[in-house]
Amino acid sequence: MSQPNQDPRPTIPTHEREVIDAEARKMNGRHDKVSTTTFSTSVWYGIAVNSRYSDAAELELMLDMVEAMTPAERSMVQRIYCDSKRGNDFAVELRTWNEQFAWAIAQKLGDVACEKSQGHSGVSIHDGEVFGGGKSIQIDGDVAGDYPD
């Protein structure tokens, strides 16, 4: 019996610690603004995940979010964006607006952030593009620990 076709999880390469530390020194020691991977976007199951500062941990967390979704949920989501500047602040673009689904997926992705990381600064769900001005909802942050300023 054959296995169903599954997309393998993308590998997120990371820079060596010495490279990250050297870049942070150029930014007055601000490790939070240093890219820890060579790219800012990955795609899995047709969902783009994007990190403002090319942060490998953020990309891994968003891949965890994709993994937690059912195939039906994945078919509704187009992109997950993490605004590194705001500390685990996630914006999700839907392919088609459904407010009931928007609330449910916001809570689910927020729960993943709490289980796998330090929580989140908020999860917003958007009808199409994040900055498109369409319909949207947002859940408040749920943070365990402190984020850098």
Side-chain angles (χ1 to χ4, degrees):
M1 181 176 270
S2 65
Q3 295 279 344
N5 185 13
Q6 267 195 346
D7 289 339
R9 183 178 174 122
T11 300
I12 307 295
T14 57
H15 295 304
E16 296 295 325
R17 188 74 206 164
E18 297 80 22
V19 172
I20 295 168
D21 290 343
E23 287 299 313
R25 282 192 294 278
K26 294 177 190 175
M27 298 177 159
N28 297 321
R30 296 288 308 259
H31 279 84
D32 58 310
K33 293 190 179 230
V34 175
S35 297
T36 57
T37 186
T38 55
F39 56 89
S40 64
T41 302
S42 184
V43 178
W44 194 27
Y45 289 108
I47 300 172
V49 296
N50 181 255
S51 167
R52 175 187 281 231
Y53 290 154
S54 300
D55 185 285
E58 291 173 353
L59 290 166
E60 290 288 356
L61 180 56
M62 288 182 284
L63 292 176
D64 289 339
M65 292 174 174
V66 171
E67 189 170 37
M69 290 183 217
T70 67
E73 290 169 336
R74 289 182 195 134
S75 74
M76 300 276 292
V77 175
Q78 181 170 312
R79 179 172 87 126
I80 306 172
Y81 170 74
C82 185
D83 188 350
S84 311
K85 195 173 186 178
R86 295 179 50 122
N88 274 11
D89 184 72
F90 299 98
V92 178
E93 296 176 357
L94 298 183
R95 297 177 197 281
T96 305
W97 182 252
N98 176 317
E99 188 168 344
Q100 183 178 356
F101 173 75
W103 286 109
I105 201 69
Q107 188 61 55
K108 185 174 199 169
L109 301 184
D111 289 347
V112 171
C114 290
E115 291 168 17
K116 303 274 186 170
S117 184
Q118 297 173 312
H120 61 89
S121 299
V123 178
S124 60
I125 310 294
H126 302 267
D127 179 15
E129 292 185 25
V130 171
F131 303 109
K135 298 173 188 168
S136 66
I137 61 100
Q138 180 167 337
I139 63 170
D140 292 334
D142 187 356
V143 179
D146 295 324
Y147 283 97
D149 292 330

